[in-house]
Each structure stands twice: as C-alpha cells, then as structure tokens.
Amino acid sequence: MLNTNEDEKKTMDGRDDNDNNGAAATKHVILFGISGDPPTGTGGHVGIAQQLVDHVRGLQKQQSQQQQQQQVVSYEIRILPVYRHTFAEKQQRLISYDDRLEMCRLAFENLNQQQQQQTQDPPHCAVVPIVVSNAEQESWRRANNNNSDDPSSSQLPPVAVGTAALMEYLLQTE
C-alpha cells in the first residue's frame, strides 16, 4: 500500500483535502497489478477489487466508530495493467497495452458506480475510488528515457522495469 500525505491535493471528487477542520489527511493507495488480458469478472480481477473495497469500507466503519477526527484517511485502489510483461513468452501473447488499459477501465467502472449508489445507505463509508492507471507505462518510459518501445526501433534494448522502479516512480510523482 502506498501512503501519501495529502497536504495540498484535491480528492477524487474535487474537494480540497484541507477542508477537514485542521485534521491531517493521509491517503492510502492499494496497488493491484494485473495483465488484464482480459480483466476477469466477479470470479477474478473484479471480484478481488470488490473484496478490497469491502475490506476498506470495514476499516472506514471502524474508524468512524472510534471517532478518530485527528486524522482524515482516504483510500484508493489503483489498477495497474502490466506494460511489458517480465516473461518474454507472455509479451508475445498479450494484446496491445492500450486495448488492455481500456478493457480494464470498462471492467472496473461498474464498481465505482455501485459504490456511488451504496454510499447513501451507510454514511460512515466513503466511496473507495478504483482508478485504472498507466503508471507502469510511464515508469517504463521514464526508465528508458522516453525511448520508443517499438521492437523495430534501432535504439538500445529497453531497460527492464520492475516493482521497485514503479514504486520509485509513484513516490516521485504523487
């Protein structure tokens, strides 16, 4: 889980996180890396994301009951389709990254909509945004100095980018 201090950032719904009567704001980001080829439904990727939402909402309920007003905590689930798979044989089989990214957006948008409808019932539970991110692609480009990842390119072979490089990228850009 990536923790960020939200001193001057806006929340997903456009609210200023400083609008919490002086309480410090902390954002917890849950990273969920997948191939997304294709993203699977309630018995797979979407079901796992739903379980994460349910877990976070349970945490929110506990925090609400404990009346911890000193610190405002928000959560986000970030879906990270793999940009270039570690295993060469899987790189050859994956459909295009842009197509997988769009399939992930379509697969997970329902969970956000369902939460919007459910949030009116238990007032202690805020929406847990599920965001499909291209951070793996951006961290790869950064590590490779924005060089083309086109196999026909005459540039040097790409640098492998793993979890550590992705985390470094996220910490520097958040």
Side-chain angles (χ1 to χ4, degrees):
M1 189 175 333
L2 178 68
N3 296 326
T4 61
N5 203 347
E6 294 291 303
D7 290 335
E8 297 180 10
K9 293 186 179 178
K10 298 280 184 186
T11 61
M12 294 298 288
D13 62 2
R15 288 181 299 107
D16 188 334
D17 266 350
N18 292 325
D19 292 344
N20 50 40
N21 299 324
T26 300
K27 182 177 184 178
H28 297 285
V29 180
I30 300 166
L31 303 176
F32 182 20
I34 65 175
S35 293
D37 188 25
T40 53
T42 55
H45 298 114
V46 173
I48 292 168
Q50 180 63 60
Q51 290 295 315
L52 289 170
V53 167
D54 293 345
H55 178 72
V56 167
R57 292 183 110 193
L59 292 174
Q60 290 173 330
K61 184 176 180 179
Q62 287 175 346
Q63 291 167 350
S64 174
Q65 291 171 346
Q66 294 171 357
Q67 300 292 330
Q68 292 182 351
Q69 299 299 326
Q70 299 85 5
Q71 184 169 2
V72 176
V73 179
S74 64
Y75 296 88
E76 175 183 305
I77 298 170
R78 199 167 301 168
I79 310 298
L80 300 163
V82 67
Y83 182 60
R84 290 181 57 98
H85 206 286
T86 302
F87 303 115
E89 64 275 6
K90 288 196 176 188
Q91 286 178 16
Q92 304 303 317
R93 293 192 325 230
L94 290 175
I95 62 172
S96 80
Y97 176 75
D98 290 336
D99 289 343
R100 289 183 293 112
L101 192 65
E102 186 58 28
M103 284 192 301
C104 287
R105 287 187 178 118
L106 293 170
F108 292 99
E109 73 183 351
N110 245 7
L111 286 180
N112 282 326
Q113 292 170 357
Q114 289 171 2
Q115 287 186 79
Q116 291 288 350
Q117 295 167 353
Q118 295 170 354
T119 301
Q120 294 146 0
D121 298 331
H124 55 269
C125 292
V127 171
V128 181
I130 299 173
V131 178
V132 177
S133 171
N134 69 340
E136 282 217 17
Q137 178 185 42
E138 293 303 318
S139 68
W140 188 93
R141 286 182 173 162
R142 181 183 222 181
N144 286 281
N145 298 315
N146 289 320
N147 289 338
S148 170
D149 59 335
D150 179 0
S152 63
S153 173
S154 61
Q155 297 174 351
L156 295 174
V159 173
V161 176
T163 303
L166 174 62
M167 292 302 294
E168 181 180 318
Y169 169 79
L170 289 170
L171 289 169
Q172 290 176 357
T173 59
E174 294 287 316

